[in-house]
Amino acid sequence: MPMYFEDFEVGQRFTTPARTVTEADVVNFAGVSGDYNPIHTDAEFAKSTPFGQRIAHGLLVLSMLTGLRQRTGHFEGTVIAWLEIRNYKFLKPVLIGDTVRGESEILEKRETSKPDRGILVQRVRVYNQRGEVVQEGEFVTMVRRRPSPGA
């Protein structure tokens, strides 16, 4: 069920569904982004790296987080705009075959000068299947306020 600005509370947390990162995800993201760095696309090269195998693009995993957050339904039709991504960190590699899920926590909410919207600041984290935080940062989004009855 979509949530409006008024429905969110500081400290509230939301967990997303999970999904497994596939080789197709990595190949498709390389094609869309143009990032064919061999750490992502060359299995033989990747064996010689500290990871020992190919890793998913960090921005691919960030993109997956945005999609997983959308699947919760909380922001369906109520997000007006993304305003900022703050202090985003790529903490651990995500490997092909890892299963990731996200968590969001409302850190701050503030009204704007326009009566139909507000701003949310959320801490977001991506976890792998072992419960390790692999990425984290803050999203700042503009969200619709609940329409007035009869509007």
Side-chain angles (χ1 to χ4, degrees), residues 1-4 8 13-15 69-79 143:
M1 172 180 219
M3 296 177 69
Y4 293 90
F8 293 98
R13 292 177 186 242
F14 305 97
T15 301
R69 283 168 38 92
Q70 194 63 27
R71 286 178 52 196
T72 68
H74 295 120
F75 302 100
E76 187 69 39
T78 59
V79 170
V143 178

Side-chain angles (χ1 to χ4, degrees), residues 40-77:
H40 309 302
T41 60
D42 183 332
E44 291 305 309
F45 170 84
K47 286 179 185 176
S48 69
T49 70
F51 309 112
Q53 60 184 300
R54 290 175 294 157
I55 61 172
H57 303 75
L59 293 177
L60 166 61
V61 177
L62 172 58
S63 297
M64 288 178 162
L65 172 63
T66 66
L68 290 169
R69 283 168 38 92
Q70 194 63 27
R71 286 178 52 196
T72 68
H74 295 120
F75 302 100
E76 187 69 39

